[in-house]
Amino acid sequence: MGYTKERVKLEKLLVKLNGVNVYNEKSLDILSNIYEEYSHTIRILKNKEPEVFMSHYTDDLQAVKLAKKTVKESDSDESKEQNFNAYKEVIITALQKTINAALAIV
């Protein structure tokens, strides 16, 4: 119903992540854009159905923010690569959990 539009946005973000495999500035920009779009969409969902999406907003979004910060604060190339991969996995997990919650409402 009202969640289909947002769910489709989240599913498209998951597809975008498939092309992101190696740490570089372009990939980091893609992840940052996905983070911004996820952040916007989860806020919309939280405002529509706070009982369902509040935990995604408070927990999952904060985990993504922390992972993003960790990548930026990394010193060596090896740690940046590792933290980048962790950042990507956190985003994937957050997107999947939010999509599943949206599907459960319908």
Side-chain angles (χ1 to χ4, degrees):
M1 183 182 279
Y3 306 103
T4 304
K5 181 179 175 184
E6 285 79 14
R7 181 181 47 80
V8 169
K9 287 179 190 178
L10 296 173
E11 289 170 345
K12 287 180 181 179
L13 294 177
L14 272 177
V15 171
K16 279 185 184 180
L17 280 170
N18 289 335
V20 179
N21 296 318
V22 180
Y23 171 77
N24 57 38
E25 288 303 314
K26 182 179 177 183
S27 294
L28 190 56
D29 286 343
I30 291 170
L31 284 185
S32 292
N33 289 336
I34 290 171
Y35 160 73
E36 292 298 326
E37 290 180 47
Y38 173 71
S39 175
H40 178 74
T41 303
I42 195 65
R43 282 186 183 103
I44 291 170
L45 290 169
K46 175 195 65 103
N47 290 337
K48 285 184 177 183
E49 191 71 45
E51 293 173 1
V52 175
F53 294 104
M54 183 60 81
S55 66
H56 299 282
Y57 179 77
T58 56
D59 300 336
D60 297 337
L61 184 59
Q62 297 309 316
V64 174
K65 283 182 185 180
L66 181 60
K68 180 180 180 180
K69 182 179 176 184
T70 303
V71 171
K72 291 191 180 262
E73 293 176 349
S74 300
D75 294 334
S76 69
D77 289 339
E78 184 179 319
S79 67
K80 282 186 181 186
E81 180 76 33
Q82 290 173 345
N83 291 330
F84 174 82
N85 290 329
Y87 180 31
K88 180 182 171 185
E89 290 302 315
V90 169
I91 291 174
I92 289 171
T93 301
L95 288 169
Q96 289 172 336
K97 288 168 84 176
T98 307
I99 289 168
N100 290 339
L103 286 170
I105 291 175
V106 178

